[in-house]
Amino acid sequence: MNHLLRAGSVLLLLATTACGLTTGKGTPERKRPDMNMQHGAVKADEFLQETLSDIKPALRWVHGPSSDIECSSGNNSATGSGTVTRRIDVLTIVSEQRRGSLFGVVERAWRSRGLTITRVETGKEFPAVNAATADGFQVSLAVGGRGQFEFSVTTPCSAQSSVPAPAAQPNTPPREGEYPWRPDIHDPFWSATTPPPTTPAP
């Protein structure tokens, strides 16, 4: 009888351990008991600003749309947790000749902060780099329509809460008209169509 009880306890422990959460995309995630969605959003905003501060010359940017998704238990029952995605859209024109320089600066900065590079897309039209922090944040830099660069950070599943608007002020005004606003600011370094020097000019 004792060995049956022990076997049952092991099975229960395994089932409990394997019972994680999933995001709206069905990716298994574990809820962060020490963080709610507001804390995660603020941390994501701080990470984006740190990344921008690593880029010289500075890029001109605006906030992209913030979004949140409720995490699912896999059977569509409420979990009381969710993820938040923060975005920054670059309005500096980055030429094809300088894309590699920008990706290189960002990738080196992320590695120096302890991130793991999880995917690199080298396609000419829509290149991208994805990475993950040790505490479960997913970050990316991707080129979209008309060569626009977008940074994004998605938090791990955490307790549901209200989510504030980003506190950081963009360094260029939002554009009029329908979103997305495409790059329209020329920069002597990032917009140049000549091969880049070894290091960006300060």
Side-chain angles (χ1 to χ4, degrees):
M1 177 66 71
N2 287 339
H3 72 278
L4 292 177
L5 290 175
R6 285 197 298 271
S9 297
V10 171
L11 290 175
L12 178 60
L13 177 61
L14 291 174
T16 302
T17 303
C19 188
L21 299 173
T22 59
T23 65
K25 297 180 179 180
T27 303
E29 294 285 352
R30 292 203 173 279
K31 181 178 176 180
R32 285 284 302 271
D34 58 333
M35 185 175 72
N36 62 27
M37 292 171 67
Q38 177 179 346
H39 298 147
V42 170
K43 188 170 182 178
D45 291 336
E46 291 173 348
F47 179 84
L48 287 170
Q49 293 306 308
E50 289 172 353
T51 298
L52 288 171
S53 71
D54 290 325
I55 301 171
K56 302 290 188 266
L59 297 170
R60 303 293 291 275
W61 60 274
V62 292
H63 290 294
S66 178
S67 60
D68 54 88
I69 299 175
E70 181 179 4
C71 295
S72 169
S73 63
N75 57 3
N76 296 322
S77 61
T79 63
S81 64
T83 65
V84 180
T85 298
R86 296 295 218 196
R87 298 177 178 86
I88 278 180
D89 293 332
V90 176
L91 294 186
T92 298
I93 299 169
V94 181
S95 69
E96 289 189 21
Q97 291 82 357
R98 300 299 167 100
R99 286 182 181 179
S101 294
L102 183 51
F103 275 110
V105 168
V106 171
E107 186 172 338
R108 287 191 295 273
W110 287 353
R111 289 185 187 276
S112 72
R113 297 182 190 281
L115 276 70
T116 300
I117 304 301
T118 57
R119 176 176 173 270
V120 175
E121 175 56 59
T122 59
K124 181 178 180 181
E125 190 172 5
F126 300 117
V129 59
N130 295 66
T133 68
D135 51 356
F137 286 72
Q138 304 295 317
V139 305
S140 74
L141 173 60
V143 176
R146 301 185 190 176
Q148 184 167 46
F149 276 76
E150 181 184 76
F151 293 89
S152 69
V153 179
T154 299
T155 71
C157 286
S158 50
Q160 285 185 335
S161 68
S162 59
V163 178
Q169 292 299 310
N171 60 6
T172 189
R175 302 304 189 255
E176 295 183 358
E178 187 176 352
Y179 180 87
W181 306 303
R182 297 305 187 184
D184 59 3
I185 300 175
H186 186 275
D187 179 86
F189 177 81
W190 295 116
S191 307
T193 56
T194 56
T198 304
T199 56

